């Protein structure tokens, strides 16, 4: 519009000027072009010429500008298309990340959400459609604290990272703890564009941390608070605060009396119920016997019915007796969980941990009661006090000695006699202690371990104080000596709960690391051995939790006779560690075999024999740090757990490089198919009876850009573990079907076998996706064979049967791969719709030397023939092997004798050579 207006305006101005001034110009000249042409005609011709030139010039300029604008627009479109591809790739990467990823726009009010991956949707319950363009904080069902919200806004304002852990609720109401890490994303011009938010569910870690912090608070209260009601009410309140349940503690004070303590949130009917329960009643007896967990849906004792039948909203009740060291019942800790409270994953173990703290508190209260009683008696009559009181004058003579002290030490006329009563190792220390108190004029305390002929070993606490005796006008030294053996026992119990595993009473991981660190400082020959039970979950499921608990408890006694084991400790759920005073592998092998033999002996429990196996990881100290040594042992243990044959692994430096390589391969697997790094090779299967090509087995190859061809035995397990095998499997299936279609179109009549993984058949839409791929490729289904191993079939017999029957129904044949090295039971094979058995190459390798292998193959072939199954023999490499197999009437042969696996183009060239080979051996 603007260009048109500009051209019109210029034309108008030029025309007006010409019409206005041309007459004057002509009149002033005496110019005539022939008599026939008038002046007006000449003016008209000139005007036409001038306007034509002007219009041409203006239109040409306009076209040039339009072409420039068009080129600029095309360039922008190409840039936008490239940016779109990059964004799509980044989004693909984001979707693969297991952590929740959210992108927000910090430049708009309320920071709206512009992207969230599937992990974030799973974590919060909101999908991307719900949240796109909405305020980020809307995903926080629990309102963010004002101070935390201020921190968040300031971080975004200052363009700084932000991290926190907050409670939250999913869209469906499920409670969880959420770790949030936010990082700013800047443009190439350093302008803030977005914030990347990483979200993780850290409920288990946070609840464990809260449990530990709560325990430390309770420990501090146990040590600090002396009054019983105050202490127990505080402990109950801390349990309530953490578990969000209603807490009841029944304190058994006498055989016929009970004190009842309730948290503030316990309902009135519940209080009335517990107040009415007699100590000798069936309900109280039931709770006193052992740990009880009662759920509203399954009440096992009718006395509990009133709790769950009064519409009080209780979902479950946890009850644990609190025992003394002598196994006397101090009381019963009860936690009632309501329907509207989120059940913590650590609830069961937390209740047990808190029960231990209540036991320590009750022991401390009993001890404090004894101290209080002693102090009361002392106040009434100090002469009968159990404390030993000695008064020493300036000349070190004894002015006073209480009966208790005289009974313990005998007659003490002088301080010298008191010194002589102490163990020789303490005398110098005791004299220095008294001298310090006299010089500083400040009271102090000293602890001494002594042995008394009657009372045995005990710990004495000596409290010394200086005061001025105004009657004798001199300073005197007052010694108050007290037996604190009970208190020391209590302190040891506290330490034991921190440094020892409560189930096995073995040192825990923290204590083990401390001791191992001390040992490494001494630079002695040291090896760290870690053992772990295999299949611990299977044992627990098969025999029950009590059986596994029994084995873990008995393990300490089983290992105690072996002198080479130092500091046997429980460092994990099913992991134990110990130190060996040698770095010679030969001795270590001998010691470890002794341990393995002892542990793998049957465990006798309830007239049953339970068999356990272990894996062992070893790291030899070579001046590593404590953490490095333990990491190396754990890496070796992991290798042993993955190895089905060698169950003891020593750490080697190349394991770290191998771990890096595996991690690199795991990462690169995500893009291998995108970057066309996968290739399918085909190995021919030959029918030696009919002397023709029968088919091909498709074999996946990965040409890594850095490592070259990576063995399938290396990357397939990684793909299985990461779940990537599903996408890879569909890629292989599609490529194999495309190649099969090409061969069919060229007139080549052959079947193609495709290997299928367990992770594929458990996919709900597996069969439907198979149908889609076949229909898309257009190949004949009866030319397609799916190969599965025995182990895959036996993992879930019902599932395998259903899937295989669905595959058979659409015309696909089924082959069992590697037959003979798994379950190898034809009775199981009969349960499945199998067409082909493939005998593993392990039976062919030494066929001409090992008669047992020949007999096995003969038996499998004969039985397969009776079941109308075809048999493929894998790994045939020599003419001698082929001759023996033909004598057994084996028909289908696969191996390097005829061809190694080749790319499709080379396979076609190889077919003629295979046919000549068959004709030559006929």
């Amino acid at each position: 519009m603007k260009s048109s207006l500009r051209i019109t305006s210029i034309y108008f101005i030029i025309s007006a000027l010409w019409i206005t001034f041309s007459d004057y110009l002509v009149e002033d000249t005496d110019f005539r072009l022939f008599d026939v042409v008038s002046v007006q005609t000449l003016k008209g011709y000139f005007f036409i010429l001038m306007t034509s030139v002007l219009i041409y010039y203006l239109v040409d300029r306009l076209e040039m500008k339009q072409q420039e604008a068009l080129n600029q627009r095309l360039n922008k479109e190409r840039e936008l298309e490239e940016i779109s591809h990059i964004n799509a790739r980044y989004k693909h990467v984001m979707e693969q990340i297991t952590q929740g990823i959210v992108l927000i726009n910090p430049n708009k009010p309320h920071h709206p959400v512009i992207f969230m991956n599937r992990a974030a949707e799973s974590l919060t319950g909101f999908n991307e459609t719900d949240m796109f363009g909405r305020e980020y904080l809307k995903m926080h069902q629990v309102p963010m604290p004002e101070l935390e919200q201020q921190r968040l806004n300031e971080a975004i304002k200052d363009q700084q990272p932000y991290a926190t852990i907050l409670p939250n609720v999913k869209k469906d109401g499920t409670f969880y703890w959420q770790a949030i890490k936010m990082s700013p994303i800047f443009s190439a011009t350093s302008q803030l564009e977005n914030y990347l938010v990483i979200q993780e569910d850290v409920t288990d870690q946070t609840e464990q941390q809260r449990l530990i912090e709560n325990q430390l608070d309770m420990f501090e209260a146990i040590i600090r608070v002396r009054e019983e009601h105050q202490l127990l009410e505080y402990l109950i309140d801390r349990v309530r605060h953490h578990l969000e349940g209603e807490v009841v503690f029944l304190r058994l004070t006498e055989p016929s009396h009970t004190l009842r303590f309730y948290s503030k949130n316990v309902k009135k009917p519940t209080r009335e119920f517990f107040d009415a329960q007699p100590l000798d009643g069936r309900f109280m007896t039931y709770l006193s016997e052992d740990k009880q967990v009662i759920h509203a849906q399954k009440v096992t004792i009718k006395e509990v019915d009133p709790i769950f039948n009064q519409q009080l909203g209780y979902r479950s009740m946890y009850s644990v007796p609190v025992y003394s060291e002598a196994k006397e019942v101090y009381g019963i800790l009860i936690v009632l969980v309501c329907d509207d409270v989120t059940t913590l994953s650590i609830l069961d173990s937390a209740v047990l941990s808190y029960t231990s703290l209540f036991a320590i508190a009750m022991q401390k209260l009993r001890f404090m009661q004894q101290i209080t009683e002693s102090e009361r008696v002392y106040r009434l009559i100090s002469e009968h006090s159990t404390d030993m009181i000695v008064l020493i004058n300036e000349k070190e003579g004894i002015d006073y000695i209480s009966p208790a002290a005289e009974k313990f030490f005998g007659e003490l006329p002088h301080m010298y006699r008191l010194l002589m009563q102490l163990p020789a190792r303490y005398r110098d220390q005791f004299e220095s202690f008294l001298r310090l108190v006299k010089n500083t004029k400040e009271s102090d305390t000293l602890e001494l371990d002594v042995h008394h002929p009657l009372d045995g070993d005990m710990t004495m606490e000596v409290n010394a104080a200086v005061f001025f005796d105004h009657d004798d006008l001199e300073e005197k030294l007052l010694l108050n000596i007290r037996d604190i053996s009970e208190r020391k026992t209590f302190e040891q119990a506290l330490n034991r709960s921190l440094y020892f595993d409560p189930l096995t009473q073995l040192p825990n991981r923290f204590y083990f690391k401390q001791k191992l660190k001390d040992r490494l400082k001494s630079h002695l020959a040291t090896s760290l051995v870690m053992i772990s039970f295999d299949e611990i979950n299977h044992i627990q499921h098969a025999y029950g939790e009590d059986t596994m608990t029994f084995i873990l408890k008995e393990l300490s006694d089983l290992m105690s006779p072996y002198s080479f084991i130092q500091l046997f400790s429980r460092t994990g759920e099913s992991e134990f560690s110990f130190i060996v005073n040698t770095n010679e592998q030969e001795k270590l092998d001998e010691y470890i075999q002794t341990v393995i033999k002892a542990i793998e002996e049957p465990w006798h429990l309830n007239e049953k024999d339970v068999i356990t196996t272990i894996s062992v990881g070893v790291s030899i100290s070579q001046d590593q740090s404590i953490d490095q040594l333990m990491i190396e042992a754990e890496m070796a243990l992991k290798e042993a757990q993955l190895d089905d044959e060698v169950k003891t692994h020593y750490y080697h430096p190349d394991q770290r490089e191998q771990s890096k390589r595996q991690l690199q391969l795991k990462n690169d697997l995500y893009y291998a198919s995108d970057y066309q790094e996968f290739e399918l090779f085909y190995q021919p299967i030959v029918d030696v009876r009919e002397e023709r090509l029968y088919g091909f087995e498709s074999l996946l190859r990965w040409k890594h850009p850095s490592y070259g061809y990576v063995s399938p035995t290396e990357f397939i397990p990684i793909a299985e573990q990461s779940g990537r095998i599903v996408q890879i499997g569909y890629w292989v299936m599609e490529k194999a079907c495309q190649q099969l279609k090409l061969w069919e179109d060229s007139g080549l009549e052959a079947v193609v076998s495709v290997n299928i993984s367990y992770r594929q058949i458990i996919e709900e839409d597996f069969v439907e996706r198979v149908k889609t791929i076949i229909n898309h490729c257009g190949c004949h289904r009866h030319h397609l064979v799916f190969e599965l191993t025995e182990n895959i079939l036996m993992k879930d017999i019902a599932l395998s049967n259903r899937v295989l029957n669905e595959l058979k129904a659409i015309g696909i044949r089924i082959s069992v791969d590697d037959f003979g090295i798994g379950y190898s039971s034809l009775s199981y094979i009969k349960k499945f719709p199998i067409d082909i058995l493939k005998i593993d190459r392990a039976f062919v390798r030494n066929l001409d030397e090992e008669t047992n292998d020949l007999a096995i193959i003969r038996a499998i072939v004969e039985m397969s023939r009776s079941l109308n199954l075809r048999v493929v023999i894998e790994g045939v490499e020599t003419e001698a092997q082929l001759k023996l197999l033909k004598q057994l009437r084996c028909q289908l042969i696969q191996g390097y004798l005829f061809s190694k696996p080749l790319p499709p183009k080379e396979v076609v060239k190889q077919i003629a050579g295979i046919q000549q080979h068959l004709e030559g051996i006929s």
Side-chain angles (χ1 to χ4, degrees):
M1 182 67 183
K2 290 181 179 180
S3 300
S4 302
L5 183 60
R6 188 183 304 113
I7 293 172
T8 304
S9 300
I10 293 172
Y11 180 79
F12 175 80
I13 292 169
I14 297 297
S15 301
L17 290 173
W18 174 255
I19 292 171
T20 303
F21 296 105
S22 62
D23 288 340
Y24 297 103
L25 182 64
V26 172
E27 288 177 358
D28 292 339
T29 61
D30 190 21
F31 176 75
R32 293 288 188 272
L33 181 62
F34 306 110
D35 294 334
V36 209
V37 181
S38 67
V39 172
Q40 293 299 326
T41 302
L42 189 62
K43 284 171 55 180
Y45 286 146
F46 187 80
F47 178 75
I48 291 171
L49 176 63
M50 183 176 60
T51 54
S52 298
V53 171
L54 177 63
I55 290 172
Y56 172 80
Y57 172 75
L58 293 176
V59 170
D60 184 63
R61 293 286 297 175
L62 178 61
E63 286 181 349
M64 288 177 62
K65 289 183 179 180
Q66 288 178 339
Q67 185 63 39
E68 288 177 0
L70 178 61
N71 291 338
Q72 289 177 355
R73 191 179 69 181
L74 290 175
N75 289 336
K76 286 184 178 180
E77 287 179 355
R78 281 193 290 270
E79 290 175 0
L80 288 174
E81 184 178 1
E82 184 176 351
I83 292 172
S84 176
H85 285 314
I86 294 173
N87 287 340
R89 183 172 175 184
Y90 280 136
K91 184 174 181 181
H92 175 72
V93 173
M94 294 269 191
E95 292 294 354
Q96 307 304 314
I97 298 175
T98 57
Q99 297 168 312
I101 302 294
V102 178
L103 283 178
I104 64 174
N105 187 345
N107 301 315
K108 290 187 178 181
H110 308 302
H111 318 312
V113 174
I114 60 175
F115 170 77
M116 60 190 297
N117 68 353
R118 285 191 290 270
E121 293 177 347
S122 175
L123 176 65
T124 63
F126 294 95
N127 58 43
E128 188 176 12
T129 306
D130 293 337
M131 294 306 303
F132 186 83
R134 296 183 63 191
E135 181 182 356
Y136 169 68
L137 292 182
K138 293 293 184 183
M139 281 194 288
H140 292 267
Q141 301 284 74
V142 176
M144 183 178 286
E146 185 176 343
L147 183 61
E148 200 62 47
Q149 195 164 351
Q150 183 179 351
R151 279 188 60 227
L152 171 61
N153 292 332
E154 288 178 355
I156 294 178
K157 179 181 177 182
D158 298 337
Q159 301 181 1
Q160 295 297 316
Y162 167 81
T164 188
I165 296 177
L166 293 172
N168 203 357
V169 176
K170 296 185 179 182
K171 187 177 181 181
D172 62 3
T174 304
F175 174 85
Y176 69 103
W177 284 94
Q178 178 179 351
I180 302 173
K181 296 179 182 177
M182 300 178 62
S183 300
I185 300 177
F186 298 96
S187 67
T189 58
S190 300
Q191 296 296 315
L192 179 64
E193 290 189 342
N194 302 111
Y195 258 83
L196 176 69
V197 185
I198 301 176
Q199 303 178 144
E200 287 187 274
D201 185 344
V202 293
T203 303
D204 289 344
Q205 303 94 305
T206 304
E207 290 301 335
Q208 285 287 355
Q209 183 66 27
R210 291 183 67 204
L211 173 61
I212 293 172
E213 291 174 355
N214 214 34
Q215 286 177 321
L216 291 175
D217 287 344
M218 294 170 73
F219 268 126
E220 182 183 352
I222 290 171
I223 295 171
R224 177 174 45 83
V225 181
R226 295 194 173 198
E227 201 277 320
E228 177 177 340
H229 281 72
Q230 184 182 356
L231 175 59
L232 293 179
E233 287 175 357
Y234 179 81
L235 297 183
I236 288 172
D237 184 66
R238 295 308 303 168
V239 176
R240 175 200 62 79
H241 175 74
H242 180 208
L243 303 183
E244 299 184 7
E246 299 178 16
V247 185
V248 180
F249 182 63
L250 306 178
R251 166 87 158 90
L252 308 183
T253 56
E254 298 175 8
S256 59
H257 185 62
T258 305
L259 291 177
R260 295 166 174 84
F261 296 86
Y262 302 98
S263 61
K264 297 176 182 178
N265 60 338
V266 176
K267 301 176 180 68
K268 183 178 178 181
T270 306
R271 294 174 184 257
E272 293 173 350
F273 171 79
F274 282 104
D275 288 341
Q277 297 301 317
L279 183 60
D280 57 352
R282 185 173 175 223
F283 176 72
M284 295 293 283
T285 304
Y286 175 71
L287 297 186
S288 302
E289 288 175 350
D290 202 353
K291 167 190 167 185
Q292 307 293 343
V293 179
I294 304 172
H295 300 289
Q297 297 86 350
K298 189 177 180 182
V299 178
T300 56
I301 176 171
K302 64 180 182 179
E303 283 78 6
V304 188
D305 286 344
I307 294 180
F308 296 103
N309 292 339
Q310 295 188 54
Q311 305 300 321
L312 298 177
Y314 295 127
R315 180 170 64 245
S316 54
M317 181 179 82
Y318 292 78
S319 167
V320 185
V322 178
Y323 293 107
S324 67
E325 288 187 345
K327 294 300 179 183
E328 299 174 357
V329 179
Y330 278 144
I332 303 168
L333 178 63
I334 301 168
V335 178
L336 296 158
V337 181
C338 295
D339 291 329
D340 57 353
V341 174
T342 302
T343 301
L344 303 179
S345 59
I346 62 167
L347 180 59
D348 199 7
S349 60
V351 173
L352 288 175
S353 298
Y354 288 137
T355 303
S356 301
L357 291 178
F358 271 84
I360 294 172
M362 296 308 301
Q363 186 175 346
K364 183 248 183 169
L365 288 172
R366 176 171 290 188
F367 171 72
M368 294 305 301
Q369 287 172 355
Q370 294 172 356
I371 296 297
T372 302
E373 183 64 20
S374 298
E375 290 176 350
R376 187 185 68 83
V377 172
Y378 177 74
R379 286 193 299 269
L380 291 174
I381 180 167
S382 60
E383 292 295 330
H384 295 154
S385 173
T386 56
D387 288 359
M388 295 169 275
I389 300 173
V390 178
L391 187 61
I392 304 172
N393 58 36
E394 287 185 343
K395 297 180 180 180
E396 298 187 346
I398 305 298
D399 283 355
Y400 172 79
I401 179 171
S402 68
E406 188 171 8
K407 179 181 179 182
F408 189 85
F409 292 109
E411 187 177 352
L412 295 176
H414 195 272
M415 193 182 75
Y416 176 77
R417 289 288 300 273
L418 174 61
L419 285 173
M420 291 300 102
Q421 297 293 325
L422 299 177
R425 66 181 185 276
Y426 288 128
R427 291 171 189 167
D428 291 340
Q429 182 184 1
F430 188 72
E431 279 192 291
S432 299
F433 165 70
L434 296 182
R435 195 178 306 115
L436 178 66
V437 172
K438 288 179 182 180
N439 293 336
T440 62
K441 305 294 190 294
E442 294 181 0
S443 62
D444 205 348
T445 303
L446 178 68
E447 291 183 5
L448 304 171
D449 293 325
V450 299
H451 179 80
H452 192 268
L454 298 177
D455 298 329
D457 294 329
M458 60 178 62
T459 302
M460 309 299 293
E461 180 184 75
V462 181
N463 185 275
V466 174
F467 69 94
F468 187 79
D469 187 342
H470 294 279
D471 292 335
D472 294 341
L473 299 177
E474 65 177 23
E475 286 184 344
K476 293 187 177 180
L477 186 63
L478 178 66
L479 302 182
N480 189 355
I481 306 171
R482 177 179 297 171
D483 180 2
I484 60 168
S485 301
E486 247 187 278
R487 193 181 80 194
K488 296 299 289 185
T489 302
F490 166 70
E491 290 174 354
Q492 291 169 1
L494 280 178
N495 287 332
R496 191 164 189 83
S497 66
L498 291 174
Y499 297 115
F500 289 81
D501 175 56
L503 177 63
T504 62
Q505 298 304 310
L506 290 170
N508 60 20
R509 188 181 185 90
F510 179 74
Y511 185 81
F512 180 79
K513 285 186 69 175
Q514 291 289 342
K515 293 300 181 183
L516 180 58
K517 184 177 181 180
D518 294 340
R519 179 175 179 82
L520 293 180
K521 289 179 181 178
S522 64
H523 300 288
L524 297 173
T526 301
S527 293
L528 172 58
V529 181
M530 284 189 178
I531 65 173
S532 177
F533 283 97
D534 303 327
E535 308 293 342
I536 185 170
N537 291 329
H538 291 173
I539 295 173
Q540 191 163 330
H541 292 157
Y543 298 102
E545 185 178 350
D546 292 341
T547 299
M548 203 62 234
T549 301
F550 168 78
I551 293 174
L552 295 178
K553 285 182 176 180
E554 291 296 313
L555 188 60
S556 175
D557 293 337
L558 184 66
M559 295 293 101
S560 58
Y562 302 113
S563 58
F564 60 83
I565 294 180
Q566 304 292 321
L567 198 62
F568 191 75
S569 306
R570 187 183 186 190
T571 51
E573 181 182 0
S574 61
E575 178 189 290
F576 295 83
S577 303
F578 59 89
I579 299 169
V580 180
N581 300 333
T582 184
N583 52 15
E584 298 178 15
Q585 186 167 337
E586 186 175 346
K587 287 186 178 180
L588 283 169
D589 287 339
E590 180 184 345
Y591 294 154
I592 290 169
Q593 286 305 314
T594 302
V595 171
I596 292 175
K597 183 177 180 182
I599 295 177
E600 295 188 352
E601 285 289 324
W603 299 82
H604 304 291
L605 177 64
N606 297 332
E607 300 180 356
K608 294 179 181 177
D609 286 347
V610 180
I611 305 298
T612 59
T613 60
I614 62 171
S615 300
V616 184
V618 186
S619 178
I620 299 174
S621 174
Q622 296 174 342
D623 296 329
Q624 308 98 311
S625 66
I626 172 66
D627 290 327
Q628 181 64 28
L629 188 65
M630 294 196 71
I631 289 172
E632 291 175 359
E634 288 168 347
M635 291 175 67
L637 178 61
K638 185 177 180 181
E639 289 292 324
Q641 290 169 331
L642 296 174
D643 194 331
D644 293 332
E645 298 180 0
V646 181
K647 302 305 292 180
T648 300
H649 275 245
Y650 287 82
Y651 173 79
H652 295 290
D654 58 355
Q655 281 184 303
R656 182 174 295 276
E657 293 303 318
Q658 181 63 21
S659 297
K660 291 181 180 178
R661 175 184 168 97
Q662 289 184 348
L663 182 60
Q664 183 66 44
L665 291 177
K666 183 178 180 181
N667 293 336
D668 293 345
L669 266 177
Y670 280 101
Y671 307 107
S673 58
D674 296 340
Y675 295 158
Q676 299 181 348
E677 295 170 5
F678 285 141
E679 301 176 23
L680 269 192
F681 281 32
Y682 297 87
Q683 185 172 30
I685 303 172
V686 177
D687 188 333
V688 296
R689 183 181 302 171
E690 298 183 7
E691 297 183 0
R692 68 178 183 87
L693 177 71
Y694 172 75
F696 304 94
E697 180 181 0
S698 58
L699 299 167
L700 182 63
R701 296 292 183 263
W702 181 16
K703 190 173 183 180
H704 192 277
S706 300
Y707 302 131
Y709 279 106
V710 181
S711 171
T713 59
E714 184 176 9
F715 73 82
I716 292 295
I718 298 174
E720 289 272 7
Q721 184 181 13
S722 65
R724 187 66 179 169
I725 191 67
V726 177
Q727 286 73 24
I728 294 174
Y730 289 130
W731 183 91
V732 170
M733 193 183 302
E734 184 173 4
K735 293 299 180 183
C737 289
Q738 291 173 356
Q739 184 60 53
L740 176 59
K741 175 62 175 172
L742 292 175
W743 283 333
E744 289 173 348
D745 292 344
S746 67
L748 179 61
E749 189 76 14
V751 302
V752 172
S753 298
V754 178
N755 289 282
I756 304 298
S757 74
Y758 179 73
R759 294 292 290 267
Q760 285 178 274
I761 68 171
I762 64 175
E763 294 281 314
E764 292 184 1
D765 61 344
F766 172 65
V767 177
E768 290 302 318
R769 291 196 65 174
V770 170
K771 292 179 182 177
T772 302
I773 291 173
I774 294 175
N775 292 335
H776 177 72
C777 296
C779 61
H780 294 295
R781 301 179 182 185
H782 65 275
H783 285 159
L784 199 58
V785 179
F786 280 1
E787 292 191 9
L788 301 91
T789 64
E790 293 176 83
N791 293 335
I792 292 176
L793 296 177
M794 302 309 296
K795 277 187 178 181
D796 190 333
I797 294 177
L799 172 66
S800 300
N801 231 328
R802 178 179 62 79
V803 174
L804 296 189
N805 278 301
E806 291 179 8
L807 293 173
K808 287 280 289 183
I810 63 175
I812 297 174
R813 282 180 278 184
I814 308 300
S815 173
V816 177
D817 197 12
D818 298 336
F819 186 76
I821 62 171
Y823 291 86
S824 305
S825 173
L826 286 170
S827 63
Y828 279 115
I829 295 300
K830 288 195 301 182
K831 298 178 182 292
F832 302 105
I834 304 300
D835 300 290
I836 302 168
L837 293 182
K838 297 190 74 172
I839 297 179
D840 187 68
R841 67 185 69 249
F843 297 102
V844 180
R845 187 177 299 116
N846 301 314
L847 186 61
D848 49 353
E849 302 174 3
E850 182 59 56
T851 57
N852 289 336
D853 289 343
L854 190 64
I856 291 171
I857 293 176
R858 178 186 288 111
I860 295 175
V861 170
E862 293 300 326
M863 287 188 288
S864 299
R865 189 174 289 114
S866 67
L867 294 174
N868 199 26
L869 300 177
R870 306 200 75 172
V871 177
V872 177
I873 311 296
E874 293 185 290
V876 179
E877 298 181 358
T878 67
E879 296 288 351
Q881 292 171 347
L882 178 62
K883 183 177 181 181
L884 288 172
L885 292 171
K886 290 183 70 175
Q887 291 173 3
L888 298 178
R889 296 193 296 170
C890 296
Q891 186 173 355
L892 301 179
I893 303 297
Q894 177 181 348
Y896 276 53
L897 176 63
F898 291 104
S899 175
K900 65 181 181 180
L902 296 170
K905 292 182 180 179
E906 296 184 28
V907 165
V908 174
K909 299 176 182 177
Q910 187 73 9
I911 292 176
I914 293 173
Q915 193 64 43
Q916 292 178 1
H917 192 166
L918 288 171
E919 293 172 357
I921 61 175
S922 59

